Amino acid sequence: MYEDKDPRAALFAAASASAHTGLIAEEQLAEFDKTPPQEDAQGRKVWYQRGCNFVLAYAEAQPGASFARTGQPDEYVVLLPDRPALIEADGGSREVAGHSIVFVPPGDSRVTLPDGGRVVRLFTAAAADLVALCPNADAYAEGRSHIPAFRPWPEPAGGFRIRAYDLDVKPQEGRFGRIFRCTTFMVNFLDVQQGPRDPRKLSPHHHDDFEQCSLALAGSFVHHLRWPWTVDRSDWREDRHIAVGSPSSLVIPPPVVHTTEASGAGENALVDIFCPPRLDFSMQEGWVLNDADYPVIPQR
């Protein structure tokens, strides 16, 4: 289902299980460019969206605006697409340049944008106060029997601390995007697509038991979704072709077959998010750029 040169091709061929039945397989779409924010105060606008295991908070901030967490139960992610930030946590602080990804330890912390700009934060659903702010907060009230309960990965080597990584990483043959992981998330900054994607080189695939969140930061896309024909016809759906601009976010449920087609004339920037991290990507040598800092979860 992948193009022959796509680094994921062998992974898909080796991991294709039969589809579950009795599915609750509903995509979750958030178009931040077309909807009002859930928070608009103190020099910041914040939009929220949830997945089964996580909350995504997309924000646009004025200079000096800050975002604090008190008693955060687990590690969270800060994406800085453009501008720098001051990160304070665990009694320390660190100035982080723009175009970076940061992993922030549990406990009390604060993210301040001295020059303003965009910031994306990713939290697990353990942050119940943030789950409640999501317009789709009740979307998972019935649960998802085919998605395993969230299980954090092992603590980082040397313990929790502010860890920042530059996203300015050149593409490499055989490596898929720019992947980073922590104890709670895996984030893949796909290589920027200049102009529309070749419609003859798409990559339809599915995941058996985990969601994929695709965050559009620039450009426009069409998300193509196809529900599997299980033996239970009530699981079936019509194909969907969801055209979005940016910023926007789509949570794609398993085992829906999907591929995303960049359609904008200029830069098209997409980020794939997984909670918890993906084991299959983690086992590919050289794919996870901060692999040395975060141990792989033990296999049962």
Side-chain angles (χ1 to χ4, degrees):
M1 298 179 77
Y2 289 108
E3 182 190 1
D4 290 343
K5 294 182 180 179
D6 192 306
R8 297 168 293 177
L11 290 179
F12 181 82
S16 193
S18 59
H20 296 266
T21 60
L23 300 172
I24 302 176
E26 301 168 347
E27 82 280 10
Q28 302 294 315
L29 174 64
E31 295 181 280
F32 308 134
D33 58 332
K34 296 179 180 178
T35 56
Q38 282 70 61
E39 293 183 5
D40 189 354
Q42 300 178 323
R44 62 189 197 180
K45 296 180 179 181
V46 190
W47 291 258
Y48 292 95
Q49 180 196 33
R50 74 160 299 183
C52 184
N53 293 329
F54 69 93
V55 172
L56 184 154
Y58 172 86
E60 297 175 354
Q62 297 298 314
S66 64
F67 306 81
R69 292 296 294 163
T70 301
Q72 171 64 28
D74 48 16
E75 193 173 32
Y76 71 96
V77 182
V78 175
L79 311 181
L80 300 170
D82 316 299
R83 305 281 181 83
L86 173 65
I87 313 291
E88 300 171 272
D90 199 25
S93 65
R94 182 168 177 179
E95 295 180 357
V96 180
H99 201 52
S100 297
I101 182 170
V102 188
F103 299 131
V104 182
D108 298 346
S109 60
R110 181 179 297 272
V111 178
T112 303
L113 276 67
D115 302 329
R118 301 183 295 170
V119 60
V120 179
R121 292 169 299 150
L122 304 171
F123 304 90
T124 73
D129 60 321
L130 301 183
V131 172
L133 296 175
C134 298
N136 67 329
D138 296 330
Y140 294 85
E142 294 186 49
R144 299 291 187 271
S145 60
H146 57 300
I147 299 178
F150 174 80
R151 181 185 174 200
W153 282 35
E155 292 189 11
F160 288 113
R161 64 173 184 268
I162 301 168
R163 297 174 184 266
Y165 305 93
D166 187 355
L167 294 174
D168 189 14
V169 180
K170 294 181 179 179
Q172 180 177 313
E173 184 72 25
R175 191 188 71 221
F176 179 53
R178 293 160 288 171
I179 301 174
F180 299 86
R181 72 163 184 263
C182 65
T183 60
T184 50
F185 285 89
M186 173 175 282
V187 181
N188 186 8
F189 286 80
L190 302 177
D191 298 327
V192 173
Q193 170 75 38
Q194 297 290 341
R197 186 175 181 180
D198 188 339
R200 299 165 299 179
K201 296 182 178 180
L202 302 181
S203 55
H205 63 287
H206 78 275
H207 310 300
D208 291 323
D209 58 3
F210 61 87
E211 293 179 324
Q212 174 177 313
C213 176
S214 289
L215 170 66
L217 289 176
S220 55
F221 300 86
V222 179
H223 298 289
H224 302 287
L225 307 180
R226 170 165 288 182
W227 273 250
W229 281 20
T230 71
V231 297
D232 183 350
R233 188 160 61 86
S234 64
D235 292 334
W236 302 4
R237 302 285 188 276
E238 294 293 331
D239 289 354
R240 297 181 189 173
H241 308 278
I242 303 172
V244 300
S246 56
S248 64
S249 176
L250 182 71
V251 181
I252 302 165
V256 172
V257 177
H258 59 278
T259 188
T260 297
E261 182 178 359
S263 56
E267 289 192 351
N268 299 284
L270 195 70
V271 181
D272 285 344
I273 298 162
F274 306 95
C275 178
R278 290 180 61 161
L279 181 63
D280 56 350
F281 280 10
S282 294
M283 300 308 293
Q284 302 304 302
E285 185 174 357
W287 278 29
V288 179
L289 297 174
N290 67 332
D291 180 72
D293 293 341
Y294 285 89
V296 172
I297 194 167
Q299 297 308 291
R300 293 174 174 173

